[in-house]
Each structure stands twice: as structure tokens, then as C-alpha cells.
Amino acid sequence: MTINNTFSKFCLGTVQFGKSYGLKNVRDNKIKDNEIRRIFDFFYSKGGLYIDTAQNYGDSEKKISNYLSKDSRVISKLYLTNADNVEQLIFKSLDNLKISSLDTIL
């Protein structure tokens, strides 16, 4: 799906795609793949571009890689310790997401 916008009024958070998260998620449920597709379709249909993810969101990066468009703007986060290699972590996210660059890294 092609999106012609260069700016989006909202950002799609993906933590619940990869792990159980949130106050209401007391049943340890992740969002199922067929629901992820529907959420992305709706997001794109409304002009959505920005997608928020992180390596510590379970397998969210790998799951959303199937739904990214060429116009998606991916924002990811790294969890760093003193021993971490930042470059290696960035390349891991790129590999998980099946993309060549991130728009923002936090």
C-alpha cells in the first residue's frame, strides 16, 4: 500500500503485538496476527506513517515487518547496558524489521 503523505497526525504503538502489556491486559494476551493486519490496514487507510516499536517489545519487530509499507516511518528504541554494542543492536532491529534504515532511534 502506498501512502502519499509525508507527515502523520498519529503514531501506531506496537508493544502489544509482541508481548502482553498494559493495565487492561490481565490475561497475558498478545494481539493475534490477523488483528495486526486489520490494525495496519486501518492505520494506513487513515494516512498513518509513524510506527513505534522496540527490541524489548518481545517479537513485535519481527511481526510488524510483514506489514510495513515503503512509506512507513519506523521509530525504535534500544535498551542499553554498559556492555551493549549500539551498532550491533541497531543492525539487529533492521534485520528484525526487514528494512534498511530507521527514521528515529531512541
Side-chain angles (χ1 to χ4, degrees), residues 1-5 44-45 47-49 68-72:
M1 172 176 285
T2 300
I3 301 169
N4 295 323
N5 300 355
Y44 290 140
S45 76
L49 290 175
L68 297 176
S69 78
K70 68 179 182 79
D71 296 320
S72 295

Side-chain angles (χ1 to χ4, degrees), residues 43-99:
F43 175 72
Y44 290 140
S45 76
K46 300 301 179 191
L49 290 175
Y50 291 90
I51 298 158
D52 169 67
T53 192
Q55 284 181 14
N56 67 344
Y57 287 2
D59 60 352
S60 178
E61 286 184 329
K62 289 182 179 182
K63 283 187 172 189
I64 69 171
S65 71
N66 298 315
Y67 309 108
L68 297 176
S69 78
K70 68 179 182 79
D71 296 320
S72 295
R73 304 289 186 253
V74 181
I75 301 164
S76 193
K77 295 173 277 311
L78 303 176
Y79 178 76
L80 302 175
T81 65
N82 292 335
D84 287 330
N85 179 330
V86 173
E87 185 176 353
Q88 184 179 29
L89 291 172
I90 291 170
F91 281 117
K92 180 180 178 186
S93 280
L94 294 173
D95 187 53
N96 287 342
L97 292 160
K98 301 177 191 171
I99 58 176

Side-chain angles (χ1 to χ4, degrees), residues 35-51:
E35 285 297 310
I36 294 172
R37 163 54 69 199
R38 291 180 60 214
I39 291 167
F40 268 89
D41 287 347
F42 180 79
F43 175 72
Y44 290 140
S45 76
K46 300 301 179 191
L49 290 175
Y50 291 90
I51 298 158

